Amino acid sequence: MSIFVKRKTRDGDRQGLQQSAEREFKRQFFGLLLVIVTWSLAMGWLLALATNAHSVTPPIEIGTVDVVPAQYQLGQELYLENCSTCHIALPPAVLPTQTWKNLLQDSQHYGAQLQPLVDPPRILVWKYLSTFSRVQRDDEETPYRLSNSRYFKALHPGVKLPRPVQVGSCVSCHPSASDFNFRHLTAEWK
């Protein structure tokens, strides 16, 4: 056999091997692409099922004005335990932070002598109240009555409030206020 024929045969073998390698690469590429598409479709289907199941579940009614994260829930429980025994516990948002701070530090509570909270419960209650209350303006006098709180007024736009506004009168519009549920309103205000 001549050198020319041998070289041609080698070149043909190389081309055949190269074409075979290209076919193998394409097959692996399309196999990988098929796996990715199948996985994506399966995950999408599972997420759609999970989302659909979640939307069928009736929502749990949130009674408080704000959803309280776990780190503040003990403070909220202590606040309710200490304050709602004598009167309806108010949402922290209706009075400014300074009012809550002064109320926690003072043993004279609206004419009644109270045993002040001591640490650590006082700190937990304070963290809850300070987180969910609002800032007082510098030029504003600290309100101790709901009727003097601009936040209380802002949360009740267009509402004819009884005179005088008292903590106990909340129940007239919020029938579940004694359970600290201020989202539930009477039919008149829905």
Side-chain angles (χ1 to χ4, degrees):
M1 207 187 301
S2 74
I3 298 177
F4 181 69
V5 173
K6 285 183 185 178
R7 183 174 283 171
K8 205 175 194 181
T9 308
R10 280 189 212 152
D11 288 342
D13 288 344
R14 281 188 195 149
Q15 285 178 347
L17 287 173
Q18 193 173 24
Q19 287 174 349
S20 175
E22 285 175 7
R23 274 188 250 121
E24 183 65 27
F25 175 76
K26 286 180 183 178
R27 194 173 335 139
Q28 287 178 352
F29 175 76
F30 286 115
L32 179 62
L33 187 62
L34 181 65
V35 167
I36 291 171
V37 168
T38 304
W39 182 80
S40 297
L41 288 172
M43 291 305 293
W45 179 71
L46 288 171
L47 284 172
L49 282 177
T51 304
N52 192 21
H54 180 69
S55 65
V56 172
T57 308
I60 298 170
E61 183 179 341
I62 300 168
T64 61
V65 175
D66 297 303
V67 176
V68 179
Q71 73 235 36
Y72 301 109
Q73 286 178 357
L74 182 56
Q76 181 189 36
E77 289 171 21
L78 289 167
Y79 165 70
L80 294 173
E81 181 182 301
N82 284 282
C83 298
S84 67
T85 55
C86 298
H87 57 78
I88 292 172
L90 296 171
V94 300
L95 293 169
T97 307
Q98 188 61 44
T99 303
W100 293 113
K101 182 178 181 183
N102 294 349
L103 289 173
L104 276 177
Q105 293 173 344
D106 193 4
S107 61
Q108 286 293 324
H109 188 73
Y110 298 97
Q113 181 70 29
L114 296 179
Q115 182 71 29
L117 281 174
V118 293
D119 295 344
R122 185 183 62 82
I123 293 171
L124 293 169
V125 170
W126 169 242
K127 284 184 179 180
Y128 165 69
L129 292 172
S130 63
T131 301
F132 293 99
S133 59
R134 296 185 164 109
V135 179
Q136 180 176 321
R137 290 190 300 214
D138 291 336
D139 63 339
E140 183 178 23
E141 191 174 314
T142 304
Y144 290 99
R145 300 283 180 201
L146 290 175
S147 58
N148 298 336
S149 172
R150 69 183 170 96
Y151 296 121
F152 179 77
K153 292 172 189 172
L155 290 168
H156 297 85
V159 176
K160 280 189 165 181
L161 298 169
R163 296 283 177 220
V165 176
Q166 297 177 335
V167 174
S169 61
C170 298
V171 179
S172 62
C173 297
H174 303 278
S176 300
S178 58
D179 297 325
F180 205 60
N181 181 343
F182 289 88
R183 288 187 182 269
H184 184 146
L185 296 170
T186 57
E188 178 183 345
W189 296 106
K190 284 186 180 182

